[in-house]
Amino acid sequence: MAGRVIVVTSGKGGVGKTTTVANIGTGLALRHKKVVMIDADIGLRNLDVVMGLENRIIYDLVDVAEKTCRSINKALIKDKRLSNLYLLPAAQTRNKDAISPEQMVAIVDELKEEFDYVLVDCPAGIERGFDNAVAAATEAIVVTTPEVSAVRDADRIIGLLQEKEIYEPVLILNRLRPDMVRKGDMMDVDDINDILAIKLLGIVPDDEEIIISTNKGEPAVLNNQSKAGEAFRNIVRRMEGEEVPFMSVNGEPGIFGRFLKLLNGK
Amino acid sequence: MFVPATRPVHEEQLVFKGLKQGLTLFVPERDTFGHWLEVLERQLNQAKGFFQGGAILVELGERQLTPDELAGLKKVLAQYRIRIKGFNPVLRKKNNPRSEKRPPASTGVLLVKGTVRNGQRLENEGDIVVKGDLNPGGELVATGDIIVLGALRGIAHAGAGGNVKAEIIAFTLAPVQLRIAHIFSRAPEERKGRQGPEIAYIKGEKIVVERL
Ligand SMILES: Nc1ncnc2c1ncn2[C@@H]1O[C@H](COP(=O)(O)OP(=O)(O)O)[C@@H](O)[C@H]1O
Ligand SMILES: [Mg+2]
């Protein structure tokens, strides 16, 4: 059976797409799934850095598309820690036009025969880079932060995904700060669901551990002490079909109790 | 005299047009979808070579496809290595609304199933009914009335041809901007506490909002 092809996208930059791909890729691999992560952010690659694999890159996505390297396998970088996790890095010195959606489809079609999961890290924006990243995907994870501008962009992306025949994207709400929500200084999950009305895959708290782990090149999902890591482990379990209650980020069921009903969509 | 219910298949042609968004197949709203699939299959067969491969857009007007119909369409296209990259480019189109006319609506009412999202713009000669929300950044333009069964938070323009009798109705009316015929109104800054369906219409030279 061919693997699942999931694009992680957002519209707005800097909301946590790359962080999400690194963590769910690693999390799925921890569960013995065969996973390949594709960095489709040509010209602004950083999934390799977040994974701590930068120094191992020889070939990249554009080399594969242009057939500069003999096979896809030559360009795949094996993770340092997990032997069933691979990265196909973006080219750094090219731009988004260096590959076409058709080339992307051809590459992914080959990969999905071999892998259980093909995760595509989408660049910000709604132009060519988005078209490339979405072209081969049959599922989408939309990442947003609890800010009006990020939510608006997420809404735009959900509309564009529909046009690409991805009708049921799921949502990750990243960088939530329960203290701010409680004071009424931050949108809460209900506010966001009011606008986006798509199924919630997970809520990831704002956690400085993410910054530390990014700098170390070691995804937070590997760290049992990290709240964000725990959130990503839960997300992975939900992706695998488990029913996992939404965790209470600070031991307060009040706000997070309401997340439960969102599990089944609106 | 005996009159056949449907026109013979061999007389009919589907229209492909090169729109700004890409090559677009127009499927008329009249007749069954199965009928048009037959027409399409014959046409593609005749045009073999010309339509080999690529991605097209499909304009269905108000027609909604069942999953089976969609699968059937994809199957026919796949034989000629054609992929569907999107639907209703004319309806969804954002810019120069009048440059390409879409086929006239059969009923005058455009029924939108689901939410109109940021960046989506729908137009209709007639009324528009949305079974969902109109989100911020989304836009509806109707020559007739606009009815939103959920929350109207985007931009709505009713009576677009100049009809000052047009109305805008929403279950929750929290628009960025309302426009009826030639009259604009911006959203009042603070509308908290107003719940339940409301109606907007022109009174004198102003748009007024009342509980329904
Ligand atoms: N849950 C989080 N808590 C704290 N910092 C985060 C969190 N998620 C992401 N970040 C930080 O935000 C920045 C942008 O994240 P990134 O994943 O690169 O976003 P994108 O790929 O969407 O541009 C990075 O510096 C990252 O470390
Ligand atoms: Mg990124």
Side-chain angles (χ1 to χ4, degrees), chain A residues 13-19 39 41 44-47 121-124:
Chain A
V15 297
K17 295 176 291 297
T18 300
T19 304
D39 189 347
D41 201 348
L44 283 172
R45 79 173 172 214
N46 48 30
L47 186 52
D121 185 8
C122 182

Side-chain angles (χ1 to χ4, degrees), chain A residues 152 155 163 165 195, chain B residues 74 84-85 92 117-118:
Chain A
R152 289 271 175 104
D155 190 43
E163 289 174 28
E165 296 176 61
I195 297 273
Chain B
K74 283 187 180 167
I84 302 172
K85 68 175 178 189
R92 286 225 178 103
R117 296 186 183 273
N118 184 8

Side-chain angles (χ1 to χ4, degrees), chain A residues 18-19 22 26 37 39 44-57 77 79-81 87-90 92 121 210-220:
Chain A
T18 300
T19 304
T26 304
M37 303 175 291
D39 189 347
L44 283 172
R45 79 173 172 214
N46 48 30
L47 186 52
D48 53 315
V49 179
V50 173
M51 293 300 297
L53 298 172
E54 189 182 10
N55 56 4
R56 305 181 188 206
I57 296 177
I77 301 170
D79 184 56
K80 290 195 259 199
R81 298 153 286 250
L87 169 70
L88 179 51
Q92 182 64 337
D121 185 8
I210 290 280
I211 297 162
I212 297 166
S213 72
T214 299
N215 292 340
K216 280 198 296 198
E218 213 170 89

Side-chain angles (χ1 to χ4, degrees), chain A residues 102 152-153 155-156 158-159 162-165 167 194-198, chain B residues 74 83-87 92 94 115 117-120 133 135-136 153:
Chain A
E102 289 73 24
R152 289 271 175 104
D153 287 1
D155 190 43
R156 180 88 215 271
I158 295 165
Q162 277 168 0
E163 289 174 28
K164 310 269 185 196
E165 296 176 61
Y167 297 111
D194 237 17
I195 297 273
L196 300 181
I198 63 172
Chain B
K74 283 187 180 167
R83 208 167 49 77
I84 302 172
K85 68 175 178 189
F87 288 94
R92 286 225 178 103
K94 222 179 135 69
T115 294
R117 296 186 183 273
N118 184 8
Q120 295 179 330
D133 299 335
N135 277 354
R153 306 189 189 93

Side-chain angles (χ1 to χ4, degrees), chain A residues 25-33 82 84 221-222 233:
Chain A
T26 304
L28 286 163
L30 281 172
R31 294 170 63 99
H32 309 294
K33 296 292 161 187
L82 299 163
N84 49 333
V221 73
L222 294 162
R233 284 192 293 279

